[in-house]
């Protein structure tokens, strides 16, 4: 019998009659994630997803690493399968966990017996396997209260499985089970984190980036493409929409009051993102806005920019402080790329004294000289898509 990977479901276990839908989505996402690493049989039994290699060519190490960033999985472990009898289980535990037992100073055995036809109780099997391990590794003491290593034995329908302590999974919900949204993705620290947070809630995302060539160069665009590509480790396959934004910013600079440059720019971003979202069957917009972080992220400013949207705007970072966002950025692997010294369009034509208490009426007055609908249409039609 080959090693397998066991994925423990997270919030899916709380679902009711529609639980099957979430399980199917999780299994489908796992299959996509594992496609580069070989052929696998993926199936779900009793809230556990089994990932079984179909041949010896499967790269189990790479598969295990890839599944650690799969949303919907609360923990995972690589397990050895064996026949469902006490002697075989004990022998497998002694051999399979040799390295872990030699490193540990104490251990205990925990058994889950979903196959109630198995002739021993869970406690009896734990005692049997624990005794065999104690004889094989006499330097490791038994400690049922605070062991360094927990040896897990699972007796299930098809086989028995032996494994050590599980590794923490990504948690959350399977991507795609809670609909689609557009996420505004800049080259900074915040927006990749907000994207990750909404993907964790089971949302499939279309990232939208606003590019102001030649004020922001190719390096700035490539930086955002790199960020989006890094996010696919968590979010799955995405299409990055790169929106040409230069003409809009130049029109704002030439025809509008300076203190409203940033507010009007954000209103155009939200209009365009809203349009792309509707065209792609999305139900919401996602931003990395954080209350009070900059002048365009006061409550009044966000109300003015959101006023142009037809879809709800999700702001997962709204109550975070900067260090919390930086910590998450490091966790998901985007921090180093986000801090590369390439500016994005938000730094172009920054006003010296931005409006601190903007209103919708004042914003409408400030953008009155602009052909708003024509500029939005031009940007949407000029959008390029990069498949990641």
């Amino acid at each position: 019998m080959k090693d397998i990977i066991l994925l423990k479901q997270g919030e899916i276990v709380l679902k009711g009659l529609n639980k099957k839908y979430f399980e199917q989505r999780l299994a489908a996402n796992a299959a996509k994630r594992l496609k580069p690493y070989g052929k696998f049989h993926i199936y779900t039994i009793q809230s556990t997803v089994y990932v079984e290699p179909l041949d010896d060519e499967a790269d189990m190490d790479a598969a295990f690493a890839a599944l650690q960033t799969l949303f919907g999985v609360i923990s995972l472990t690589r397990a050895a399968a064996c026949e469902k009898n006490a002697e075989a289980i004990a022998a497998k535990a002694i051999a399979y966990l040799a390295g872990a037992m030699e490193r540990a100073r104490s251990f205990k055995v925990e058994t889950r017996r979903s196959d109630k036809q198995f002739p021993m109780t869970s406690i009896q099997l734990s005692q049997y396997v624990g005794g065999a391990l104690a004889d094989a590794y006499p330097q490791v003491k038994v400690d049922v209260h605070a062991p360094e290593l927990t040896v897990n034995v699972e007796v299930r329908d098809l086989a028995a499985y032996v494994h050590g302590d599980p590794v923490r999974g990504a948690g959350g919900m399977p991507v795609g089970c809670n609909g689609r949204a557009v996420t505004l993705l800049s080259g900074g620290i915040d927006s990749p984190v907000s994207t990750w947070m909404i993907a964790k809630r089971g949302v499939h995302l279309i990232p939208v980036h606003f590019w102001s060539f030649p004020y922001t160069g190719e390096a700035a665009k490539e930086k955002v493409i790199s960020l989006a590509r890094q996010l696919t480790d968590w979010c799955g396959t995405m299409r990055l929409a790169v929106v040409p934004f230069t003409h809009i910013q130049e029109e704002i600079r030439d025809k509008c009051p300076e203190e409203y440059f940033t507010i009007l720019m954000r209103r155009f971003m939200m209009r365009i993102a809203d349009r792309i979202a509707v065209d792609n069957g999305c139900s919401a917009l996602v931003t990395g806005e954080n209350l009070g972080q900059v002048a365009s992220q006061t409550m009044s400013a966000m109300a003015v920019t959101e006023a142009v949207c037809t879809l709800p705007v999700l702001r997962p970072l709204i109550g975070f402080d900067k260090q919390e966002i930086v910590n998450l950025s490091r966790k998901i692997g985007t921090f180093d790329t986000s801090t590369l010294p390439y500016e994005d369009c938000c730094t172009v034509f920054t006003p010296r004294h931005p409006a601190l208490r903007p209103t919708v009426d004042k914003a409408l007055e400030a953008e009155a000289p602009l052909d708003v609908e024509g500029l939005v249409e031009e940007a949407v039609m000029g959008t390029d898509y990069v498949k990641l």
Side-chain angles (χ1 to χ4, degrees):
M1 294 181 175
K2 297 183 178 69
D3 286 6
I4 66 170
I5 299 172
L6 302 177
L7 309 178
K8 299 294 185 181
Q9 297 174 3
E11 296 176 49
I12 295 175
V13 300
L14 303 176
K15 300 300 177 184
L17 297 177
N18 60 349
K19 180 182 176 183
K20 189 75 172 178
Y21 164 75
F22 294 94
E23 291 182 335
Q24 290 172 341
R25 177 67 69 172
L26 178 59
N29 290 351
K32 290 179 182 177
R33 188 67 59 88
L34 294 178
K35 196 171 183 180
Y37 309 116
K39 297 178 180 179
F40 296 87
H41 178 41
I42 301 171
Y43 53 95
T44 302
I45 300 176
Q46 296 175 335
S47 300
T48 297
V49 180
Y50 292 72
V51 179
E52 181 180 344
L54 293 179
D55 54 45
D56 294 332
E57 301 301 315
D59 187 339
M60 293 292 286
D61 292 336
F64 190 79
L67 291 171
Q68 286 180 259
T69 58
L70 183 69
F71 288 131
V73 175
I74 195 169
S75 67
L76 63 161
T77 188
R78 189 165 167 177
C82 64
E83 296 178 5
K84 292 196 296 183
N85 65 72
E87 295 79 8
I89 294 170
K92 180 62 72 172
I94 291 169
Y96 188 70
L97 298 175
M101 287 294 296
E102 288 168 358
R103 291 189 297 271
R105 289 176 295 182
S106 60
F107 82 100
K108 73 172 180 178
V109 178
E110 285 190 355
T111 299
R112 297 172 197 61
R113 188 177 56 96
S114 59
D115 178 5
K116 302 306 181 184
Q117 301 302 312
F118 191 78
M120 301 172 73
T121 67
S122 296
I123 293 175
Q124 289 172 336
L125 184 55
S126 291
Q127 291 173 337
Y128 183 89
V129 175
L133 286 167
D135 291 341
Y137 302 98
Q139 77 280 11
V140 188
K141 69 176 183 178
V142 176
D143 183 349
V144 298
H145 300 294
E148 283 192 9
L149 172 67
T150 299
V151 175
N152 293 276
V153 175
E154 302 193 30
V155 182
R156 294 186 171 270
D157 294 343
L158 303 178
Y161 300 93
V162 175
H163 59 88
D165 292 323
V167 172
R168 186 174 180 177
M173 301 287 289
V175 169
C177 71
N178 281 327
R180 297 159 62 87
V182 154
T183 180
L184 279 68
L185 185 65
S186 72
I189 294 173
D190 298 353
S191 60
V193 176
S194 64
T195 299
W196 177 86
M197 290 181 70
I198 293 298
K200 187 176 181 180
R201 300 311 308 152
V203 179
H204 176 79
L205 293 162
I206 299 174
V208 173
H209 177 65
F210 296 90
W211 188 44
S212 293
F213 185 81
Y215 303 105
T216 55
E218 286 288 340
K221 182 170 74 170
E222 289 302 320
K223 172 184 175 180
V224 172
I225 292 173
S226 294
L227 281 171
R229 188 169 285 119
Q230 288 170 334
L231 286 168
T232 61
D233 289 343
W234 304 89
C235 304
T237 301
M238 298 190 295
R239 278 203 318 156
L240 170 67
V242 181
V243 179
F245 206 56
T246 307
H247 188 205
I248 290 173
Q249 289 189 288
E250 290 176 338
E251 285 285 287
I252 293 172
R253 177 198 62 189
D254 294 340
K255 299 178 180 179
C256 302
E258 181 184 352
E259 65 270 21
Y260 268 80
F261 281 1
T262 302
I263 292 294
L264 300 187
M265 177 186 71
R266 293 288 299 174
R267 280 166 66 87
F268 271 99
M269 287 181 174
M270 300 300 273
R271 286 185 180 102
I272 294 165
D274 191 85
R275 168 75 177 275
I276 291 173
V278 171
D279 290 348
N280 286 275
C282 298
S283 301
L285 306 180
V286 181
T287 77
E289 291 168 304
N290 174 259
L291 185 61
Q293 183 168 252
V294 294
S296 64
Q297 295 179 17
T298 62
M299 281 194 283
S300 58
M302 287 189 284
V304 172
T305 57
E306 185 175 346
V308 301
C309 298
T310 65
L311 297 176
V313 179
L314 309 179
R315 298 181 175 94
L317 304 183
I318 196 71
F320 281 46
D321 63 39
K322 193 64 179 183
Q323 190 57 52
E324 290 172 318
I325 299 170
V326 167
N327 291 344
L328 272 174
S329 180
R330 293 185 187 279
K331 172 185 174 179
I332 66 178
T334 57
F335 179 80
D336 290 341
T337 303
S338 291
T339 52
L340 290 174
Y342 303 120
E343 296 180 329
D344 59 36
C345 70
C346 294
T347 61
V348 178
F349 310 135
T350 302
R352 289 167 294 179
H353 304 289
L356 297 178
R357 295 178 178 84
T359 66
V360 172
D361 288 341
K362 289 180 180 179
L364 288 169
E365 181 182 347
E367 68 188 14
L370 304 175
D371 177 11
V372 173
E373 293 303 321
L375 289 169
V376 170
E377 183 68 20
E378 176 188 317
V380 171
M381 296 305 294
T383 298
D384 288 328
Y385 286 88
V386 181
K387 187 175 181 179
L388 305 168

